Amino acid sequence: GGLRTVFEGVPLRCSSPRLVHCGHTTRASSAEQPREATVTAAEKMGTNPSKSKTPPSPPSGAQEAGADAHGKADKRGRTELLNPATADPPRCIDDYHFVRKGNVWREPFPSHLSTAVFAAGCYWGTEKAFWRLPGVYSTAVGFIGGHKTNPSYQQACSGKTGHTEATQVVYDPSLISFADLLLLFWRCHDPTQGNRQGNDRGSQYRSGIYANNATDYAMALASRDAFQAELTKRGKRIITSEIPDPDTQDEVHRTFWYADGYHQQYLSKPGARPYCSAEPTGVPVPTDFADEAAFKLPSKFWRSYNFSIRAPHAPVEVSKEALQKADQLQAQKAHANALQMQAMEAECDVIVRYCSGCGFKVKAEELGEMLDSLCQEADLGVEVGMIADVEATGTFEVRVKTPGQGGVQDTWELVHSKLATPSAGFVDSEAKLVRILEAIAEAQSLTEEERGDLR
């Protein structure tokens, strides 16, 4: 026996002053604490520290870029960039976006831009999903929705300040609209999970949309209702996303506090650990919550847009040629994935198929390794395979093969499916695991003694 993994067709072995913009009050967060003292929410709950969000600190922007020819060092040793051609104030080099080169991730921004804030679980992955969108000027991560001013990362992640991890998106409304941003928001995570997102648990991981004005607020509510209707048709749970009215919130709760520079565009920096626990539903997001003219991106853009952390860091183009190339690449991936599935069906006895969304891979690997280990201990010679869908489908299923005899073809039984039976969820209980093991025993025609060894 053994464990085989295929992902997307590739086999794998196993301290600024107060600032105000567009209705949101924005402040810089508390000074960064020593990295050794960082305590994540996962560590506070006693979960596996290997999954905590405290990887080695990547180099700062100043370390990477160095002093510009027109720069000078301030009293704290940071480098400021001067623009003698304009009246713009000097900017610290660390204020510039790590991916959207030349654009700043905190105020002041060019006056023609708009902003919105979204919370969809761990802000590392959420930020990357938004910074790649065409028309986005820059992104930043921070905290919103809490009752304490100027929270540090440790305070926000304690769950005691009421904040949630959030991403501020600065965008050009002539190129991309708030309606477009809403489509990505609903697609990139599961908004029905309350105070968690995947393995990340606590109120700091709750879902939310924080609009700047009454128009965006109304659209956010309309999009929620439209998506809820689609979720309900498929037996999914109720959306728990927080969508506060910007006209009734007090200043403290509506303030977006920047996280320290260590967390900004974290996934794009050298030494970053590619962590994300988002669990997208795979349910299509309807567009009838707004007029067709409200959307700037063509509908076919979403057919190939990859919002996972494994996508390239670079922003996506939306030209006709770029869309055609993306469609061709997506078709190639789908074809390669289908061939891999055919090969796996011929060689494996159990297949774990899962969504390409970030939070699914870890759960699939854990289950695959457990099944493989149990089958090897029972000396069954059962081959376990794992394969990821090309897109974020919300799939998490286990199929077991019954070998054909006398010229009869092999048959496959769908033993577990998160999509077919939404209440089934992941294989996260002994009862679910036992059901899969019983299906393997039946397919392999095991004796009672052999069944006992398998358990």
Side-chain angles (χ1 to χ4, degrees):
L3 180 64
R4 299 192 180 193
T5 304
V6 173
F7 187 81
E8 293 185 346
V10 181
L12 304 174
R13 297 300 301 174
C14 292
S15 320
S16 297
R18 179 179 184 277
L19 301 163
V20 180
H21 72 283
C22 298
H24 274 308
T25 303
T26 308
R27 301 173 188 256
S29 185
S30 298
E32 181 177 0
Q33 301 297 317
R35 190 50 48 193
E36 304 82 66
T38 299
V39 179
T40 67
E43 292 170 324
K44 286 180 178 293
M45 296 186 296
T47 54
N48 186 349
S50 66
K51 296 179 181 178
S52 68
K53 297 198 302 176
T54 316
S57 297
S60 68
Q63 288 173 319
E64 294 156 355
D68 184 83
H70 299 288
K72 67 177 182 179
D74 65 11
K75 293 181 179 180
R76 289 175 289 178
R78 303 189 307 176
T79 301
E80 291 182 337
L81 300 183
L82 308 181
N83 186 352
T86 70
D88 293 341
R91 300 301 296 255
C92 168
I93 197 169
D94 288 337
D95 287 353
Y96 285 82
H97 202 277
F98 203 81
V99 178
R100 294 278 183 175
K101 302 296 185 181
N103 298 348
V104 293
W105 54 264
R106 58 182 167 191
E107 289 87 347
F109 301 122
S111 59
H112 69 286
L113 301 177
S114 299
T115 65
V117 176
F118 300 93
C122 170
Y123 53 25
W124 288 348
T126 306
E127 184 186 22
K128 178 170 180 175
F130 280 101
W131 86 46
R132 300 188 68 235
L133 287 176
V136 167
Y137 171 84
S138 72
T139 54
V141 298
F143 314 100
I144 199 170
H147 54 76
K148 176 178 172 52
T149 60
N150 198 30
S152 68
Y153 175 78
Q154 290 80 7
Q155 290 171 334
C157 285
S158 73
K160 296 179 180 179
T161 68
H163 292 89
T164 187
E165 292 193 8
T167 296
Q168 177 178 259
V169 183
V170 185
Y171 63 100
D172 185 339
S174 69
L175 302 176
I176 188 171
S177 68
F178 184 67
D180 295 315
L181 300 179
L182 287 171
L183 291 181
L184 175 59
F185 170 79
W186 296 118
R187 285 165 56 95
C188 74
H189 74 304
D190 184 348
T192 72
Q193 295 189 357
N195 287 333
R196 75 177 182 91
Q197 186 61 214
N199 289 335
D200 293 329
R201 298 173 182 271
S203 59
Q204 69 271 27
Y205 297 114
R206 70 186 184 272
S207 171
I209 303 171
Y210 305 88
N212 283 321
N213 53 65
T215 300
D216 287 356
Y217 171 64
M219 184 177 290
L221 293 178
S223 70
R224 178 199 62 188
D225 295 343
F227 191 44
Q228 181 64 69
E230 294 301 314
L231 293 174
T232 301
K233 289 178 185 177
R234 294 162 174 80
K236 303 286 187 178
R237 294 171 295 189
I238 300 298
I239 291 174
T240 58
S241 301
E242 178 178 73
I243 309 178
D245 184 343
D247 292 333
T248 61
Q249 273 193 303
D250 61 66
E251 182 178 352
V252 174
H253 282 83
R254 70 198 305 265
T255 297
F256 173 84
W257 303 90
Y258 288 108
D260 55 60
Y262 169 83
H263 292 280
Q264 304 300 335
Q265 301 90 58
Y266 168 77
L267 291 175
S268 66
K269 296 177 180 177
R273 184 168 63 86
Y275 176 83
C276 181
S277 193
E279 296 176 353
T281 64
V283 175
V285 181
T287 58
D288 56 0
F289 63 83
D291 294 334
E292 184 176 351
F295 299 93
K296 299 294 185 180
L297 299 180
S299 59
K300 61 181 180 181
F301 167 82
W302 300 105
R303 292 202 303 257
S304 59
Y305 183 64
N306 184 353
F307 52 77
S308 78
I309 62 172
R310 291 173 291 274
H313 298 317
V316 177
E317 295 183 20
V318 75
S319 65
K320 181 179 179 180
E321 294 75 15
L323 290 174
Q324 289 177 343
K325 184 176 180 180
D327 282 345
Q328 292 172 358
L329 180 59
Q330 192 76 350
Q332 292 171 3
K333 288 183 177 180
H335 180 66
N337 190 262
L339 293 178
Q340 291 284 356
M341 177 63 82
Q342 291 178 11
M344 193 167 283
E345 288 178 342
E347 300 173 7
C348 297
D349 304 286
V350 181
I351 295 179
V352 180
R353 177 183 161 215
Y354 60 98
C355 168
S356 64
C358 300
F360 289 73
K361 186 172 183 285
V362 172
K363 290 183 171 63
E365 288 177 340
E366 291 175 347
L367 176 60
E369 291 169 2
M370 181 180 297
L371 292 174
D372 181 61
S373 177
L374 290 171
C375 289
Q376 286 194 39
E377 289 177 6
D379 198 23
L380 297 183
V382 170
E383 188 86 17
V384 180
M386 299 191 304
I387 186 168
D389 290 341
V390 173
E391 300 178 1
T393 58
T395 299
F396 192 92
E397 67 179 35
V398 181
R399 293 189 298 147
V400 175
K401 180 170 70 177
T402 299
Q405 297 180 354
V408 179
Q409 290 186 338
D410 300 335
T411 58
W412 287 88
E413 178 187 1
L414 183 62
V415 181
H416 181 94
S417 175
K418 188 175 185 291
L419 273 184
T421 310
S423 59
F426 295 98
V427 182
D428 50 10
S429 70
E430 183 178 353
K432 296 175 184 178
L433 179 61
V434 167
R435 183 164 180 259
I436 295 172
L437 295 176
E438 289 176 345
I440 294 174
E442 187 68 26
Q444 297 294 317
S445 301
L446 300 186
T447 65
E448 286 302 318
E449 182 179 354
E450 290 172 326
R451 289 171 186 253
D453 292 338
L454 182 57
R455 297 193 187 98

